[in-house]
Amino acid sequence: MKKYVIGVDLGGTKISTAISTIEGNILANVVLPTKAEEGEAAVLGRIVQSIDEVIVGSSTSIDEIEAIGIGSPGPLDAKKGIIITTPNLPFKNYNLVQPLKEKYNIPVYLDNDANAAAIGEYMFGAGKGKNSIVYFTVSTGVGGGAVLDGKVYRGHTSNALEIGHTTVDPNGPRCNCGNLGCLEAMSSGTAIAKKGKEAVSTNVETSLKKHDTVTSYEVFKEAEAGDEVAKDIIDNALTYLGIGVANAIATFDPEMIIIGGGVSKAGDIVFDTVKKVVNKRCFKSMAESCEIVPAGLGSDAGVVGAVALAIIESR
């Protein structure tokens, strides 16, 4: 009987790999630097190294491993196991699944990192026991994933829930993707920091000017301390986040919306504002039946998500 799975959280700066029981108890984990600049073969080599290390570290053998799950930034083709392209990794139309399948002779599953985190929250985090959840991650960018009626929802090209690139203001600023007024361009930590820096470079009176560098953290901090400019920036960003959440509720009618990522760590101000906007914009019955909660897995979301991916796919 195969009792274990391996999860690999593949990021631009680090590869985090864990071995877990089928119930989700992590036995060993390893973090290695990605060193993306060294190219495709070198990164693949480090993924293999991390897998080998967790097997040794947990005193198990490859014969006891049911499957490997990999969460990676997209866009990617989950069905074919191909990473199409992504800014912080060297892979271009690269089949990551095939060489790992050949080496270990067990099933290997690849998915978008936000999807993997959504599966992790659904199985082991804030969404445990729920049937349908939509997950938002709000940090440098805005991403999302969904588990609907107990099944991962990936869409036709396996890139569904690119929630950060839904338009929330057609006249808004240009997003990195090229579109105008994306949720990511309005509500991400990067967008909040950008507005803070813009304010500092004008004649407006704001306590943000006392900071050498302004990130979203400083904007939240000064807003909390009562700075009107910072308060406006935060209120604006979170109002648009609320619109994004209201749109997801109207589209998917989930039991729960889970919000993770750096911005969610600002706490009550985030959830109070989002809930206020949702109550204003959603059908009352849908708004009332959908909980909006912070993510439960914290900084382990990526690797626990990759573990959860391996478990859910091998059932």
Side-chain angles (χ1 to χ4, degrees):
M1 174 69 183
K2 298 197 171 187
K3 302 193 287 277
Y4 308 105
V5 295
I6 289 173
V8 181
D9 179 29
L10 175 59
T13 54
K14 65 181 197 302
I15 299 162
S16 182
T17 300
I19 187 166
S20 147
T21 63
I22 297 291
E23 296 73 41
N25 300 316
I26 288 175
L27 308 179
N29 68 309
V30 167
V31 178
L32 297 177
T34 308
K35 296 185 181 171
E37 69 284 355
E38 290 180 11
E40 294 176 342
V43 175
L44 175 64
R46 265 188 289 283
I47 292 169
V48 168
Q49 182 191 339
S50 71
I51 291 169
D52 291 346
E53 284 186 19
V54 290
I55 292 171
V56 171
S58 59
S59 306
T60 58
S61 77
I62 194 64
D63 304 332
E64 297 173 281
I65 312 290
E66 176 76 40
I68 297 169
I70 305 170
S72 163
L76 44 81
D77 185 330
K79 289 190 194 86
K80 292 182 181 160
I82 291 171
I83 296 179
I84 296 164
T85 177
T86 184
N88 302 317
L89 289 168
F91 303 113
K92 299 271 182 289
N93 296 315
Y94 187 87
N95 195 318
L96 189 64
V97 163
Q98 202 54 43
L100 294 172
K101 249 170 142 165
E102 283 167 12
K103 177 167 174 54
Y104 296 108
N105 202 24
I106 54 172
V108 179
Y109 304 101
L110 174 73
D111 210 336
N112 182 294
D113 50 6
N115 262 359
I119 302 165
E121 288 290 343
Y122 165 77
M123 290 182 84
F124 304 118
K128 198 174 176 182
K130 301 294 178 194
N131 197 33
S132 293
I133 65 106
V134 175
Y135 170 78
F136 281 67
T137 176
V138 189
S139 50
T140 310
V142 176
V147 179
L148 305 173
D149 295 329
K151 292 189 179 68
V152 187
Y153 181 72
R154 293 193 176 91
H156 176 55
T157 66
S158 61
N159 291 293
L161 276 293
E162 277 290 354
I163 228 151
H165 299 292
T166 54
T167 303
V168 290
D169 179 1
N171 304 309
R174 196 166 297 280
C175 179
N176 280 341
C177 75
N179 188 19
L180 291 169
C182 287
L183 180 59
E184 182 166 301
M186 309 301 292
S187 298
S188 64
T190 311
I192 292 168
K194 193 176 168 193
K195 289 277 188 202
K197 286 173 190 146
E198 281 169 10
V200 166
S201 69
T202 69
N203 291 327
V204 72
E205 274 183 42
T206 169
S207 58
L208 288 168
K209 289 186 176 177
K210 70 183 185 202
H211 298 283
D212 294 336
T213 50
V214 174
T215 69
S216 59
Y217 174 78
E218 282 75 32
V219 184
F220 272 109
K221 206 166 103 177
E222 295 307 330
E224 207 178 352
D227 182 74
E228 289 302 327
V229 172
K231 271 163 64 178
D232 276 354
I233 293 168
I234 296 299
D235 189 60
N236 189 54
L238 296 179
T239 297
Y240 281 110
L241 180 59
I243 292 170
V245 169
N247 290 345
I249 293 171
T251 306
F252 298 108
D253 189 21
E255 283 169 86
M256 182 179 272
I257 296 272
I258 300 169
I259 305 176
V263 168
S264 71
K265 292 186 177 70
D268 289 348
I269 185 170
V270 176
F271 292 89
D272 293 347
T273 310
V274 167
K275 285 172 187 172
K276 194 172 75 188
V277 176
V278 164
N279 289 334
K280 198 167 131 187
R281 292 180 178 271
C282 272
F283 286 130
K284 195 168 186 282
S285 61
M286 288 168 92
E288 282 175 355
S289 69
C290 180
E291 292 175 70
I292 299 169
V293 301
L297 295 174
S299 56
D300 295 332
V303 74
V304 173
V307 161
L309 171 68
I311 295 169
I312 208 169
E313 289 294 354
S314 53
R315 278 179 173 173

